[in-house]
Amino acid sequence: MIMASQIMRRLLRSQQANSPARVSSLLLGRTFSTESNPIVATLFPGDGIGPEIAESVKQVFRAADVPIEWEEHYVGKEIDPRTQSFLTWESLESVRRNKVGLKGPMATPIGKGHRSLNLTLRKELNLYANVRPCYSLPGYKTRYDDVDLVTIRENTEGEYSGLEHQVVRGVVESIKIITRQASLRVAEYAFHYATAHGRARVSAIHKANIMQKTDGLFLKCCREVAEKYPEITYEEVVIDNCCMMLVKNPALFDVLVMPNLYGDIISDLCAGLIGGLGLTPSCNIGEGGIALAEAVHGSAPDIAGKNMANPTALLLSAVTMLRHLELHDKADRIQEAILKTIAEGKYRTGDLGGTSTTTEFTKAICDNL
């Protein structure tokens, strides 16, 4: 009964997200498709199992007749001096040009003199908000049956600004950066998201009782934005208390917005509530209407090329990309086929307790379209 009500709520939210009230700022630079003019999207297959699960996405999209034309880019073999990483400048330009993309898992090669691949993407493309919907999957039993929340993480600053130095021997200082501009921007997006998707509550997660200046500024910005949305219930929750509340009763939360480090931790915690990162979609929102959906799990090199990988996270991330493009009918069809395949239990990959190969699982999803 709980599952049925959750599915109904999600369908209603999808309809609301398709209404004229949808946030206009997300449509900047958007190119809509026609039968003769497909949308061009950048695809980073990634490393390890990335190419295998990217192929699953392409197969499912073909079966669903999704009007997407992929422009594929791979991680380079040498550092590009223009990006200081193994990502090429051409691949970044592809995302800037297309405004939309999908990224498989990327492992930063061990070495010196280059930036993390994921950090490069966030910084160069100004991907300021990471959005992760987290909901219980019908038919896949975990400790919780009622998870239905969204984490929205500020993606550009905080403790991840990379400003560290040694003060004296044995003493290292790391500088946490919180700015009004970035805080207002992610808060605005969180409330826009809540409004567009029929969500009733936004919770700002913080540690302002200790970090009064930095987290205090973040909260001040959230309060300022909240005043513009009187129809949305706004609350503030200290991060340690938030973690306890999440594992006790995830239904207490709806949309959570938070600075970078807290978002990294909380979003993974929420993924654990529903079965892990292999089931969790993610999408990064950038300035100018850029959306880069991604699978946030690792590249799993130990099973790469063995036809064992679970493509669910990348498939559901691709669904969020379709919703960003207003292709709601296609998104609904694919999401329903994924959930049905998992719920039936006949075809599941090893991480979901089954014995199916990536190919078999993907075919089952195509058959359920």
Side-chain angles (χ1 to χ4, degrees):
M1 193 69 183
I2 293 175
M3 282 297 179
S5 65
Q6 286 180 345
I7 293 171
M8 183 59 68
R9 288 202 306 272
R10 289 172 200 146
L11 288 174
L12 287 173
R13 284 169 184 160
S14 293
Q15 293 169 1
Q16 288 169 333
N18 202 17
S19 72
R22 190 158 175 87
V23 184
S24 59
S25 63
L26 301 184
L27 304 177
L28 293 172
R30 175 106 25 106
T31 301
F32 292 97
S33 66
T34 64
E35 289 184 5
S36 59
N37 181 32
I39 296 171
V40 179
T42 305
L43 176 62
F44 295 99
D47 306 310
I49 61 172
E52 297 169 72
I53 60 177
E55 183 59 35
S56 292
V57 173
K58 289 189 281 187
Q59 289 179 25
V60 171
F61 272 36
R62 284 195 296 268
D65 294 321
V66 177
I68 291 284
E69 180 180 309
W70 297 110
E71 187 177 287
E72 295 190 34
H73 287 267
Y74 291 85
V75 177
K77 301 293 185 183
E78 297 179 356
I79 295 173
D80 188 323
R82 296 167 294 180
T83 66
Q84 289 299 304
S85 84
F86 286 86
L87 280 172
T88 65
W89 185 258
E90 287 74 21
S91 65
L92 297 177
E93 283 296 296
S94 172
V95 182
R96 294 188 184 103
R97 180 175 60 253
N98 297 329
K99 303 287 187 184
V100 65
L102 180 67
K103 183 182 82 68
M106 290 182 178
T108 299
I110 297 173
K112 296 182 179 180
H114 58 83
R115 290 192 291 179
S116 154
L117 300 175
N118 292 317
L119 180 62
T120 300
L121 284 168
R122 287 197 293 268
K123 292 291 187 181
E124 295 292 341
L125 300 176
N126 204 3
L127 302 175
Y128 65 87
N130 176 258
V131 184
R132 289 202 213 175
C134 233
Y135 48 85
S136 300
L137 301 187
Y140 185 69
K141 181 65 179 173
T142 66
R143 297 175 188 272
Y144 304 90
D145 297 322
D146 55 355
V147 182
D148 186 11
L149 53 84
V150 180
T151 61
I152 297 180
R153 163 191 175 187
E154 201 290 316
N155 221 12
T156 64
E157 55 182 27
E159 289 87 348
Y160 290 2
S161 300
L163 299 176
E164 294 185 318
H165 63 275
Q166 179 173 288
V167 182
V168 295
R169 182 177 296 179
V171 180
V172 175
E173 186 175 61
S174 178
I175 302 176
K176 173 176 178 173
I177 302 294
I178 296 289
T179 64
R180 174 176 169 81
Q181 178 189 16
S183 299
L184 281 174
R185 184 170 58 178
V186 74
E188 287 278 6
Y189 184 81
F191 280 91
H192 282 164
Y193 185 98
T195 301
H197 293 80
R199 299 273 180 171
R201 178 186 299 269
V202 172
S203 306
I205 311 304
H206 68 96
K207 193 65 177 175
N209 53 329
I210 303 297
M211 285 167 273
Q212 298 176 14
K213 296 290 187 182
T214 50
D215 284 17
L217 175 58
F218 180 80
L219 286 185
K220 183 179 179 181
C221 293
C222 288
R223 291 167 189 163
E224 188 175 321
V225 174
E227 290 180 359
K228 304 177 189 177
Y229 296 84
E231 73 282 4
I232 301 291
T233 301
Y234 171 70
E235 66 177 357
E236 297 169 358
V237 185
V238 177
I239 182 168
D240 40 336
N241 187 38
C242 173
C243 292
M244 180 190 69
M245 293 168 68
L246 278 167
V247 297
K248 285 185 68 176
N249 184 8
L252 294 172
F253 293 98
D254 198 352
V255 174
L256 301 89
V257 61
M258 63 212 82
N260 207 337
L261 176 62
Y262 307 155
D264 199 3
I265 296 167
I266 292 291
S267 58
D268 275 20
L269 187 157
C270 291
L273 301 177
I274 66 164
L277 292 174
L279 299 174
T280 309
S282 176
C283 188
N284 298 288
I285 303 299
E287 291 283 5
I290 288 177
L292 182 63
E294 65 173 338
V296 292
H297 57 68
S299 59
D302 55 320
I303 62 169
K306 297 181 179 179
N307 202 18
M308 297 169 60
N310 178 7
T312 300
L314 192 62
L315 281 165
L316 290 177
S317 297
V319 167
T320 69
M321 183 190 80
L322 294 180
R323 296 201 189 284
H324 180 82
L325 292 168
E326 303 283 323
L327 297 174
H328 295 289
D329 290 342
K330 300 295 186 183
D332 289 341
R333 281 189 63 209
I334 294 172
Q335 181 169 339
E336 289 165 9
I338 296 167
L339 298 182
K340 182 178 179 181
T341 302
I342 294 173
E344 287 173 343
K346 184 177 180 182
Y347 295 99
R348 289 182 180 177
T349 50
D351 60 313
L352 299 180
T355 59
S356 298
T357 63
T358 309
T359 303
E360 291 167 341
F361 182 70
T362 303
K363 183 179 183 304
I365 294 172
C366 293
D367 291 342
N368 278 326
L369 281 169

